[in-house]
Amino acid sequence: FKRIEASNGLWDGVQQLRYDVYCRECKYLEASNFPDGRETDEFDPHSLHFAATNERNEMVATLRLVFDSPLRFPLEHHAGTLAEGFRRLPREKTAEISRLILAKSYRRRANDGLYGEELGDPEKEAAARAEATYKRSQYPLILFGLFKEMYMESLSRELEYWLAAMEPGLQKMLAKFG
């Protein structure tokens, strides 16, 4: 789990994962708007980016914290009427959680290790695959790892509020874990 800097060489992987999920798989965004196969937007320069990679340094998950800027928060551009409480939030102590993505091959797989599929030991891999047909992991460890990085960074920046819009399934899963 890492905070992404332009210098650590992972930014391309973040953009490619965002393109794969948002443009190709879910079709939330028009793929032709990103002919290089990398999704990015105007909020990226006003954001902190986090990522999870596997043992092969492949991008498996990402999210960003978007800070208030002259652009405002993404939610203000995409949501209808926001609750009155939103307008009372101190914008300098608030960030929006955005572009939370888990690679399709890592979603709700049984027996995921902390960084995804256990690699290297063929017998362990075969045993895990056999057990996977009977038992699914209930803990989204990859997401929890990203959330930990986001939380620690939020503490260091003295953030007090997070905004997020999410799929109902993600909201239900997060509520389950408090």
Side-chain angles (χ1 to χ4, degrees):
F1 301 101
K2 302 168 183 80
R3 183 174 140 194
I4 300 301
E5 306 286 344
S7 61
N8 68 7
L10 295 174
W11 180 236
D12 279 346
V14 167
Q15 292 175 307
Q16 289 169 359
L17 180 60
R18 286 168 43 169
Y19 175 83
D20 287 345
V21 174
Y22 275 59
C23 298
R24 296 174 67 207
E25 181 184 342
C26 297
K27 302 192 185 331
Y28 294 146
L29 301 172
E30 180 57 48
S32 64
N33 291 339
F34 308 96
D36 62 353
R38 291 175 170 79
E39 191 276 327
T40 187
D41 69 14
E42 67 274 20
F43 295 100
D44 284 333
H46 306 283
S47 305
L48 280 179
H49 301 267
F50 302 90
T53 57
N54 63 17
E55 291 86 350
R56 295 177 294 244
N57 212 33
E58 297 165 332
M59 190 65 53
V60 299
T62 185
L63 69 78
R64 69 181 179 184
L65 280 177
V66 182
F67 300 105
D68 190 30
S69 73
L71 299 174
R72 304 180 305 158
F73 293 108
L75 192 59
E76 294 176 278
H77 294 264
H78 301 291
T81 304
L82 297 170
E84 180 62 34
F86 169 77
R87 288 184 274 291
R88 291 192 300 266
L89 292 175
R91 296 179 79 89
E92 72 281 358
K93 299 242 179 227
T94 304
E96 181 175 335
I97 302 167
S98 174
R99 295 299 196 262
L100 172 60
I101 296 172
L102 184 62
K104 187 174 185 173
S105 60
Y106 282 82
R107 290 185 210 144
R108 299 286 299 164
R109 293 181 322 154
N111 303 312
D112 272 353
L114 186 59
Y115 298 102
E117 183 178 33
E118 295 296 328
L119 301 172
D121 183 340
E123 290 182 20
K124 277 183 149 179
E125 288 176 40
R129 280 192 299 275
E131 187 178 333
T133 60
Y134 303 109
K135 182 179 176 185
R136 295 179 68 82
S137 174
Q138 65 175 336
Y139 300 104
L141 296 178
I142 295 172
L143 294 182
F144 286 174
L146 282 177
F147 294 159
K148 177 186 172 204
E149 294 297 316
M150 178 184 69
Y151 176 73
M152 298 305 290
E153 189 67 37
S154 295
L155 286 178
S156 73
R157 292 176 177 262
E158 299 181 352
L159 294 176
E160 296 179 14
Y161 303 95
W162 289 329
L163 307 170
M166 64 190 73
E167 297 285 332
L170 178 59
Q171 182 178 9
K172 184 177 176 181
M173 184 274 295
L174 291 175
K176 176 181 173 182
F177 292 103

